Amino acid sequence: MRIRSLIILSMVGAAALIGTVGGVAVFTQMAATKYLGLTEATNVARELADTIVFKPSDGTPSLLERPEALNQFLELQHGRSQRDFVVVDRNKVIVAHAADEEHKAGDKFEHDPGNEVGQTLEDGIPRKFVDPEEVNAILAVPIEQGGKTIVGAVLLEYDAVLNAAEQRTNSMLWLIGLSAVAAMLVAALFAWVLLSRFGSGLRDMMRGMQALAQGNQMMRISHGRKDEFGQLADGFNTMADQLASARAHIEDIVETVAEGIAVLDAHGRIASANPAAATMVGRRADKIVGLQWDAALKLHDAKGGDFAGGTSPVEMALATGRQHQGEVRLTRSDGSQVPVIASCSPLSRSEGGLVLTLNDISELRRAEGVVNERADQLAVLNRELHEKSETTTRLVKLGELLQACVTFPEAFSVVGTAMTEFLGGLSGSVHLTSASRNLVEEMAHWGDVRSSVNQFAPEDCWALRRGQEHVAGPGMLTPRCAHITENGKKGYVCMPLAAQGETLGILHLCEPNAAEKPQWLAERQQILRGVVDTLALALANLRLRETLRQQSIRDPNTGLFNRRYLEETSSRELRRMERSAQPLAIIMLDVDHFKQFNDTFGHEAGDLVLKQVAATLIEHARDSDVVSRYGGEEFALVMPGASLEEGAQRAETLRQAIKQLHLAHRGRTLGTVTASFGVAAYPEHGAGWAELTNAADHAQYDAKAEGRDRVVVARNNAPGERPAIQLVPPAKAGAEAKG
């Protein structure tokens, strides 16, 4: 397809596209106007419905419950928006209307031919329909009370909204249409101007190109244009000038190029030679022109030996008419030899011949020697890199092992084994800062030398003080840490273990022969940094895991174990007691009238009561007991190895201790705190955890029913019966506890 046709097609396509875009814009604007009008009417109706069912906080009934006020409200809305409004109840009975003479209050609304109002009252979805009598577009929106119950519907005309929106957009639609037509006319005019100017410029260029192709190098295009075709004509004229000087330029290149170039005829005589070739040979160019090539050029093989007959690159190229290239030695007139690359390229002209190019590679050979030397250096660096790669691999393996550890002792066991491999010849230890931040303790040690005490204060270590590594030893002015046990010729370094913004402890290393090995630390600095970072991150992750574990098994308010931990631990303890034939007692207690504390004094006071009860339970518990918050104001105490009688005595002691609590919150006395207790034991009340907790729960419930503030012990029962209970009088239980 010709360029002219392409331009015409492009302009026609552009005009069609402009018209299409204008039509789409008009259609889209009309559709958007209708949609926005309906949306605006729906929003108005919803706001009206919400206002009708709104009940003020002072107890005033909603407008739906006051028909007269509702009529006044609708008349006011009609006056503002000039729309008709109708409000119907759940049965489509008209409750109120504004400026609608066709409807009366109390009549049933029957102007929805498809029962659209009834459907809206059923599913709560707004619907529009046309009143067949008034030929008006009506919108029905449900009236929802409490956000769920449909109590009626609001009907309003939305023709006025749509007409207003259409009037606002009419001017815009006209503007879009006129703009599209104007754009199409401009595109047609532009196409005509472009084609006329393009045709004349193209004809001039075609004439110039044809003349240049026919060999007329003096052809020039005369013009007075200022457009792109004028620039093309200027470029063509410049190209013609350059072609005229191209031959002279090429000859200059041949004369000045660094490579030696000699042209040989079909008989092997030198027809011409550039200065570089003459310089390589060591003779003037006019002295070698006309000579046979082998008389002017003494070529030897790459090692300086003579070529066998017919095997030199020049002889092979002359004999075969193909290109040949190879490294040779050129003997100069003074007898010295120069390594060159000889390239023989046959000429394509009918009389034959070839071009011989000689490229001096003396500098290349010297560079090869330098490269070989650098290759040896690179081999050394490669070995060092391999060693570092192996070190990195070991560090990654150490990190994987540490990340797999679940406890600090397990992690320090891995550290003690791995450090001997990483830091062979050095003794050392890992010290961890305690949770209270006032003590640093040794957790792992390796090597034969112990140069640090097991425990010390954080301020005794300069590395912890400064937050960076601290090195001391023979010939160094840095002070020695206070936790170092000797002042001899040993050298040491303390490196902080810091991760996630927290300093966890130190890594301490000792070199017994530091005076004889002044570079003992520098040669291990990189691997030591990697070990410290890996170890610090692993310890930080372990500490975070421990914190998360405590949070998962502890009640945040009281600090006691939660119910999940109690059930897991108690089931395990119950199996252990069963294997060792020992008893196990469980106490369930519930704070009496706890809701009154919250209602009277507030939830903060209730939390205070729970915390004090928890503190009392911990105070009276043994190390082997498990104390937990069972839920709400209910607590549980599991006592492995305790009999039913011991459990009852402990419960009575706890009851009295809780009753003696004197609590005050914000200057107000909270009064006496009491609790009801239920006691059960293994094996009297069952062999499973569910049976024991069920028996203790029933005993606790009966303690509540008997008047609270007492201990109830579950009785032994026949299999299948509900656990009976046995009341323990407070006085008797107290006497048993004293005894």
Side-chain angles (χ1 to χ4, degrees):
M1 183 179 292
R2 299 180 63 184
I3 297 178
R4 183 188 299 271
S5 301
L6 289 175
I7 294 176
I8 295 175
L9 182 61
S10 299
M11 292 303 173
V12 172
L17 180 61
I18 293 172
T20 303
V21 172
V24 172
V26 171
F27 176 77
T28 303
Q29 184 65 26
M30 295 176 63
T33 300
K34 293 182 180 180
Y35 174 76
L36 292 176
L38 180 59
T39 301
E40 180 181 352
T42 303
N43 293 336
V44 171
R46 288 190 182 277
E47 293 179 359
L48 188 63
D50 293 340
T51 304
I52 291 173
V53 297
F54 174 72
K55 290 185 178 182
S57 59
D58 58 0
T60 304
S62 64
L63 292 176
L64 188 64
E65 300 171 358
R66 297 180 292 157
E68 294 181 1
L70 180 58
N71 271 320
Q72 295 177 1
F73 175 71
L74 293 180
E75 291 294 340
L76 178 61
Q77 297 299 319
H78 172 73
R80 291 178 177 177
S81 61
Q82 297 301 315
R83 303 178 190 167
D84 291 347
F85 297 93
V86 178
V87 178
V88 300
D89 62 8
R90 191 70 176 81
N91 299 318
K92 292 178 62 175
V93 175
I94 299 174
V95 178
H97 63 88
D100 194 341
E101 294 79 6
E102 298 296 328
H103 304 95
K104 296 181 180 179
D107 294 346
K108 191 168 184 179
F109 186 86
E110 300 291 351
H111 291 192
D112 49 341
N115 192 28
E116 287 83 2
V117 176
Q119 297 178 31
T120 298
L121 291 172
E122 289 296 330
D123 55 20
I125 300 175
R127 288 178 173 81
K128 63 177 182 177
F129 60 92
V130 177
D131 188 340
E133 297 185 8
E134 298 184 4
V135 196
N136 291 330
I138 306 297
L139 177 65
V141 176
I143 301 175
E144 298 179 350
Q145 192 170 36
K148 296 181 180 179
T149 305
I150 300 175
V151 298
V154 174
L155 315 179
L156 78 161
E157 296 181 352
Y158 71 91
D159 283 342
V161 178
L162 185 59
N163 292 335
E166 290 177 348
Q167 291 177 1
R168 288 195 300 267
T169 57
N170 281 337
S171 58
M172 183 180 296
L173 296 178
W174 277 105
L175 179 61
I176 293 174
L178 292 176
S179 298
V181 173
M184 294 172 66
L185 293 176
V186 170
L189 178 61
F190 180 74
W192 180 80
V193 173
L194 179 63
L195 287 174
S196 61
R197 292 184 62 83
F198 182 83
S200 61
L202 187 60
R203 286 192 295 272
D204 292 341
M205 289 299 300
M206 290 298 296
R207 285 196 300 268
M209 295 294 292
Q210 291 174 357
L212 187 63
Q214 294 172 0
N216 184 7
Q217 298 182 2
M218 303 304 295
M219 176 63 185
R220 301 293 184 271
I221 299 176
S222 58
H223 69 91
R225 306 169 66 102
K226 301 296 183 181
D227 56 7
E228 287 79 1
F229 280 105
Q231 296 176 2
L232 288 174
D234 291 339
F236 177 85
N237 294 336
T238 302
M239 181 183 66
D241 294 337
Q242 292 175 350
L243 288 175
S245 61
R247 184 171 183 176
H249 182 64
I250 294 175
E251 292 177 353
D252 290 341
I253 293 176
V254 173
E255 293 293 323
T256 58
V257 73
E259 288 80 6
I261 300 176
V263 179
L264 279 64
D265 61 16
H267 302 288
R269 291 188 296 267
I270 298 178
S272 62
N274 68 345
T279 302
M280 289 184 183
V281 176
R283 301 173 63 181
R284 288 169 49 183
D286 57 349
K287 296 297 183 180
I288 62 175
V289 173
L291 297 179
Q292 198 69 22
W293 74 269
D294 53 357
L297 304 175
K298 302 297 184 180
L299 300 183
H300 303 274
D301 60 20
K303 296 181 179 180
D306 294 332
F307 282 108
T311 59
S312 69
V314 178
E315 292 174 319
M316 295 176 65
L318 289 173
T320 62
R322 298 178 181 178
Q323 182 179 7
H324 285 275
Q325 176 179 310
E327 181 180 349
V328 299
R329 293 275 179 168
L330 176 63
T331 303
R332 299 167 59 90
S333 59
D334 59 1
S336 61
Q337 290 186 345
V338 181
V340 297
I341 297 295
S343 299
C344 301
S345 301
L347 296 174
S348 59
R349 59 191 180 185
S350 58
E351 58 269 22
L354 57 85
V355 175
L356 173 61
T357 303
L358 302 174
N359 189 4
D360 189 351
I361 59 173
S362 301
E363 293 296 330
L364 178 62
R365 290 292 174 256
R366 284 192 289 271
E368 286 180 353
V370 175
V371 169
N372 292 333
E373 181 180 354
R374 296 294 175 84
D376 295 337
Q377 297 175 358
L378 183 61
V380 175
L381 293 176
N382 188 35
R383 287 194 298 270
E384 294 177 355
L385 181 61
H386 180 68
E387 294 174 357
K388 292 180 180 179
S389 176
E390 291 182 347
T391 301
T392 303
T393 302
R394 293 200 302 269
L395 280 175
V396 171
K397 184 177 180 180
L398 174 62
E400 292 175 351
L401 291 175
L402 290 175
Q403 292 297 329
C405 295
V406 296
T407 63
F408 279 103
E410 190 176 39
F412 290 127
S413 175
V414 171
V415 170
T417 303
M419 289 306 173
T420 304
E421 177 184 356
F422 279 108
L423 307 170
L426 298 183
S427 298
S429 56
V430 176
H431 298 260
L432 200 62
T433 305
S434 63
S436 59
R437 316 298 298 176
N438 63 348
L439 186 65
V440 183
E441 300 179 277
E442 179 184 297
M443 295 298 174
H445 179 270
W446 61 93
D448 301 329
V449 178
R450 282 189 175 271
S451 56
S452 174
V453 297
N454 293 338
Q455 296 180 348
F456 56 89
E459 57 269 16
D460 290 342
C461 182
W462 284 96
L464 292 177
R465 286 191 196 180
R466 303 167 60 205
Q468 59 186 15
E469 71 175 37
H470 182 72
V471 186
M476 303 183 69
L477 300 178
T478 53
R480 304 179 75 86
C481 295
H483 62 90
I484 301 302
T485 58
E486 57 85 35
N487 292 318
K489 297 183 179 181
K490 298 182 178 66
Y492 77 91
V493 60
C494 293
M495 302 190 70
L497 298 173
Q500 300 176 359
E502 181 183 6
T503 300
L504 307 173
I506 63 168
L507 173 66
H508 172 77
L509 296 175
C510 175
E511 171 55 65
N513 301 318
E516 302 174 1
K517 300 178 180 179
Q519 298 297 321
W520 68 274
L521 183 60
E523 62 189 15
R524 296 182 175 92
Q525 191 68 40
Q526 185 174 4
I527 186 173
L528 184 58
R529 187 72 265 169
V531 169
V532 168
D533 292 342
T534 302
L535 180 57
L537 183 59
L539 295 180
N541 289 338
L542 278 175
R543 180 164 290 181
L544 179 59
R545 290 182 197 172
E546 181 64 21
T547 301
L548 294 176
R549 191 184 75 85
Q550 289 296 325
Q551 291 176 352
S552 67
I553 66 175
R554 293 281 185 179
D555 172 51
N557 188 29
T558 62
L560 300 179
F561 292 113
N562 55 26
R563 180 172 180 174
R564 185 183 69 176
Y565 179 82
L566 173 72
E567 292 177 349
E568 294 177 356
T569 304
S570 300
S571 298
R572 184 172 61 253
E573 288 295 323
L574 188 60
R575 291 192 296 270
R576 188 170 65 87
M577 295 298 103
E578 183 180 359
R579 289 194 300 270
S580 60
Q582 296 184 43
L584 180 142
I586 176 173
I587 300 174
M588 305 288 287
L589 65 142
D590 187 273
V591 179
D592 297 331
H593 304 296
F594 181 73
K595 187 175 182 300
Q596 295 181 6
F597 284 100
N598 285 335
D599 296 342
T600 305
F601 303 103
H603 289 282
E604 290 185 3
D607 291 342
L608 176 62
V609 171
L610 295 178
K611 291 178 181 178
Q612 292 299 321
V613 171
T616 304
L617 294 177
I618 294 176
E619 181 181 356
H620 291 80
R622 305 172 302 176
D623 292 339
S624 60
D625 296 342
V626 181
V627 184
S628 73
R629 183 179 178 183
Y630 203 67
E633 65 272 19
E634 191 173 6
F635 298 85
L637 175 62
V638 176
M639 299 184 295
S643 63
L644 182 62
E645 292 76 10
E646 292 172 337
Q649 293 174 5
R650 180 76 63 83
E652 178 59 23
T653 301
L654 291 172
R655 185 191 69 80
Q656 294 179 7
I658 293 173
K659 192 171 184 179
Q660 292 174 2
L661 293 175
H662 299 286
L663 305 179
H665 179 67
R666 294 185 177 179
R668 301 176 62 187
T669 302
L670 302 184
T672 303
V673 180
T674 63
S676 300
F677 293 77
V679 184
Y682 165 80
E684 289 87 342
H685 301 104
W689 172 249
E691 296 174 303
L692 293 178
T693 54
N694 187 41
D697 265 335
H698 283 298
Q700 181 198 93
Y701 296 153
D702 289 316
K704 291 280 188 182
E706 294 295 330
R708 297 181 174 83
D709 188 21
R710 63 191 59 224
V711 177
V712 174
V713 178
R715 291 180 181 172
N716 298 335
N717 295 277
E721 294 184 2
R722 179 182 179 276
I725 56 92
Q726 173 185 1
L727 298 179
V728 177
K732 180 179 179 182
E736 293 176 354
K738 292 179 182 179

